[in-house]
Amino acid sequence: MTKVQFRTAEERDRAQWADKFTAVAEGNLYRDKNSPFPIHEYFKLGLLGKEVRMLELNAGAALVDHMVADALTELNISSETEGNADEIKDWHKSIFYQDTLEQTARSFFSCGYAAQQVVRDIDPDTNENTYTIITLNSKTWYPTVPTFKYQEIREGRVVSIFSENNDGVKSWYAFVERHTKGNVEHELYKLENGNDLEGTKLKIKDLDRFKELEDSVATDLNHIPIFQIDMTRGAGKYFGQSIFAKIWGNLQEISEIKTQMRMERIKHFRSLLAAPAQSLQRAQRVDDGEALPNNSKQARVEQYEHQATFDLRQEIMAVPPGAQMPQFIQRDLEIITKAMEMIRDCLSEIASVTGCPRSVFNLDEKGTIHVETEKKKDRKYVQRITQCQKKLEWITEQGAKTYFQWKGDKAGKKEITAELDSAFEMTLEEKVDLYRKMNSDGKFISQEEAVRNLFPDMTEEERTEMLQKIQDEDKSLAGSFGDPVPVEL
């Protein structure tokens, strides 16, 4: 049968990198397939022992955990129409949306982008529609990139690669949800392995797990129910850059140093005894009574091994006068001290590159161990967290909008506003400075949004009045510079 391509090589490579980034964020650095970091051959071959493995002590997981904890503050839902906010709050509570939002934030930082899907299903007991929101695994999201970066995503695929074992034979499949405006199609492909770009197309009901699915389902929406948010994107890039992108080598180096430290500790504890040969007792051989062939090579080898075997469990050692006293030979622990300094240097460099506070890695400004969290965050770090919060608020609002449309609001009149509390205690002057920087080009945050965050206790009427004054002052200032005063010479 003719094979059909369902993804490109570039899409597969991006999916594999998303899988690696996710693994590092979860603290899983070394595995058999698609390992984020290479496993040294002496571990693969068991040269250091079958139970000795690379240490998965990941600074990346600590960094992402800290950033997610800062970004996920109290989520406030409001609406100008009475009842809308309460309905969304009840819905979020029923689907445990806080957990979904945490998964989205984790994917946002670790992979550089995240996608949420609003799902409509049918309750088999009541035969009524149910609605929920899930965070897509970043490696499964394949959007059709629009021509221009400013355009919205109008179609995309969710590709899940899986295998089934039948009578000891592993078979690979690709399940594809193809989302377009107002419709979703389900496709199934038979693959030769999990890295294939093309496969033999099957009927969706050929596998029992999909027997209840239809080939095509109308979504009744004017958009696809999947929404993507990104971290800062490079020029010409459509996906955001992972927080790990610039510190990938540092993360690997920390694990390697930690593993080397453990190896040195193991060797240190495996000390050797140095003592005069005259003070050591001969070990009792179990084969002493066996007859050995005379004048043979085997006899000479056995005799040598017998003479070279000592009993190191003896309690008393008779040391001849003037001979060296027995002592244990151990490895110098200075290499472990040096390794700890190297790890601190790596953590310090990670903090510098990512812009996160040194306290994330329990370091103070001098690089020594620090037990209290710094109150004042680095400016770059604050901007990263604030950016994430704005994106999470937006994606929450899109999910609520889709929910209302499926509930019958085709005109889009039901609107809600989602806001996350600030994670940082800043003075009004610090907030003003931050929002001025964020609004330097007028694209990231509006004046209205800045006023709402700077003065949360104001009523809507007071905010409107303040914004009007700002606009009037801007017009007055522009008029002053636009009409130069005539000067007589």
Side-chain angles (χ1 to χ4, degrees):
M1 297 180 66
T2 305
K3 291 187 176 182
V4 180
Q5 186 178 37
F6 62 92
R7 61 178 175 178
T8 64
E10 183 181 1
E11 289 177 325
R12 179 194 58 191
D13 294 342
R14 177 184 56 79
Q16 290 179 347
W17 267 108
D19 189 30
K20 292 180 179 180
F21 287 145
T22 302
V24 171
E26 295 173 349
N28 185 12
L29 279 67
Y30 301 95
R31 54 191 184 186
D32 295 333
K33 296 181 180 179
N34 197 30
S35 178
F37 300 131
I39 304 175
H40 293 293
E41 291 299 324
Y42 45 78
F43 288 109
K44 292 182 179 179
L45 301 176
L47 300 180
L48 299 177
K50 295 182 179 181
E51 302 301 326
V52 180
R53 296 288 185 268
M54 291 291 292
L55 284 185
E56 297 181 333
L57 300 179
N58 188 2
L63 176 60
V64 171
D65 287 344
H66 197 97
M67 299 182 78
V68 170
D70 276 344
L72 283 184
T73 56
E74 184 70 23
L75 178 64
N76 303 302
I77 303 296
S78 60
S79 175
E80 295 182 358
T81 305
E82 185 178 356
N84 290 352
D86 292 336
E87 184 176 355
I88 294 299
K89 290 178 183 178
D90 293 340
W91 179 47
H92 282 176
K93 185 176 180 181
S94 66
I95 64 175
F96 300 99
Y97 182 67
Q98 190 70 19
D99 295 341
T100 302
L101 203 61
E102 179 179 348
Q103 296 167 1
T104 304
R106 190 173 300 278
S107 179
F108 179 82
F109 287 121
S110 60
C111 298
Y113 65 96
Q116 280 189 4
Q117 180 178 359
V118 190
V119 181
R120 180 179 64 177
D121 202 359
I122 297 179
D123 190 330
D125 297 328
T126 62
N127 203 31
E128 296 181 354
N129 287 332
T130 60
Y131 311 95
T132 189
I133 298 179
I134 62 173
T135 298
L136 292 178
N137 189 325
S138 295
K139 71 177 181 180
T140 67
W141 173 229
Y142 293 72
T144 301
V145 178
T147 305
F148 302 103
K149 286 179 62 176
Y150 62 83
Q151 293 178 321
E152 295 181 354
I153 298 175
R154 292 186 171 91
E155 60 181 50
R157 291 152 290 145
V158 180
V159 181
S160 302
I161 309 296
F162 65 96
S163 63
E164 287 191 351
N165 287 316
N166 296 318
D167 299 328
V169 179
K170 178 180 287 189
S171 300
W172 287 93
Y173 300 92
F175 174 65
V176 180
E177 293 181 31
R178 192 177 298 274
H179 290 266
T180 55
K181 180 181 177 180
N183 191 66
V184 57
E185 297 179 358
H186 299 130
E187 301 171 356
L188 182 64
Y189 297 88
K190 178 71 176 297
L191 312 179
E192 294 182 1
N193 59 71
N195 294 321
D196 279 352
L197 304 177
E198 55 185 24
T200 304
K201 194 170 184 179
L202 306 176
K203 294 182 179 180
I204 194 64
K205 298 183 184 297
D206 285 350
L207 289 183
D208 291 339
R209 64 170 67 185
F210 303 124
K211 63 182 180 180
E212 297 182 358
L213 286 180
E214 299 296 334
D215 293 336
S216 179
V217 178
T219 61
D220 304 322
L221 297 172
N222 56 4
H223 59 274
I224 64 173
I226 300 177
F227 306 97
Q228 177 180 324
I229 55 176
D230 298 270
M231 288 186 66
T232 303
R233 296 184 291 193
K237 302 293 184 180
Y238 193 76
F239 294 92
Q241 186 181 64
S242 168
I243 196 69
F244 299 144
K246 296 180 180 179
I247 58 173
W248 195 249
N250 299 85
L251 297 176
Q252 180 182 2
E253 184 176 3
I254 290 175
S255 293
E256 289 182 340
I257 296 174
K258 277 284 188 180
T259 303
Q260 183 183 7
M261 286 172 55
R262 182 180 62 173
M263 293 165 53
E264 294 298 328
R265 289 179 64 248
I266 292 175
K267 294 175 182 178
H268 178 77
F269 294 141
R270 293 174 179 173
S271 55
L272 301 177
L273 178 66
Q278 298 89 340
S279 66
L280 299 177
Q281 299 177 0
R282 302 296 179 183
Q284 181 64 34
R285 293 286 299 259
V286 295
D287 57 352
D288 284 349
E290 297 181 1
L292 298 176
N294 294 327
N295 300 324
S296 68
K297 183 177 180 180
Q298 180 182 358
R300 291 194 297 272
V301 171
E302 292 287 349
Q303 183 67 21
Y304 173 78
E305 291 182 351
H306 178 71
Q307 293 176 352
T309 304
F310 301 99
D311 183 6
L312 298 184
R313 295 177 298 176
Q314 65 190 80
E315 297 181 0
I316 299 176
M317 294 186 180
V319 182
Q324 182 181 6
M325 294 296 295
Q327 61 180 340
F328 284 100
I329 302 177
Q330 294 179 312
R331 288 183 171 263
D332 190 357
L333 292 180
E334 183 180 359
I335 188 173
I336 296 180
T337 304
K338 294 294 184 182
M340 289 298 298
E341 294 177 358
M342 294 174 62
I343 289 177
R344 284 195 289 268
D345 290 341
C346 284
L347 293 175
S348 179
E349 185 175 351
I350 289 175
S352 176
V353 173
T354 60
C356 72
R358 296 169 60 86
S359 59
V360 170
F361 306 113
N362 207 28
L363 299 175
D364 65 9
E365 295 182 356
K366 296 181 180 179
T368 56
I369 297 300
H370 186 60
V371 295
E372 293 183 359
T373 304
E374 297 173 6
K375 293 183 179 181
K376 187 174 182 180
K377 305 291 183 177
D378 183 87
R379 180 71 63 184
K380 185 178 180 181
Y381 182 77
V382 172
Q383 292 180 347
R384 286 189 187 275
I385 298 301
T386 304
Q387 180 194 43
C388 177
Q389 289 185 320
K390 296 304 174 186
K391 299 296 180 66
L392 293 178
E393 291 168 357
W394 176 84
I395 206 170
T396 299
E397 294 170 356
Q398 299 308 307
K401 180 180 178 181
T402 303
Y403 168 84
F404 282 139
Q405 287 189 3
W406 268 334
K407 296 282 284 187
D409 180 33
K410 301 303 180 182
K413 295 181 179 180
K414 292 185 177 181
E415 295 288 344
I416 65 104
T417 301
E419 290 183 335
L420 287 164
D421 291 341
S422 175
F424 313 104
E425 295 182 1
M426 294 186 290
T427 64
L428 182 60
E429 290 75 12
E430 290 176 327
K431 289 182 180 180
V432 170
D433 181 58
L434 175 63
Y435 286 120
R436 277 177 177 168
K437 290 183 178 180
M438 294 171 61
N439 195 37
S440 58
D441 57 2
K443 296 180 180 179
F444 187 80
I445 183 171
S446 65
Q447 289 181 339
E448 182 179 357
E449 184 71 15
V451 170
R452 181 181 292 109
N453 285 275
L454 289 172
F455 307 100
D457 297 332
M458 276 189 177
T459 64
E460 288 296 331
E461 292 77 10
E462 292 173 335
R463 290 196 188 101
T464 303
E465 183 180 352
M466 175 175 284
L467 287 171
Q468 187 61 46
K469 289 181 179 180
I470 294 175
Q471 294 175 3
D472 293 342
E473 290 176 358
D474 291 342
K475 291 180 181 179
S476 176
L477 185 62
S480 299
F481 285 101
D483 300 324
V485 179
V487 179
E488 294 183 4
L489 299 177

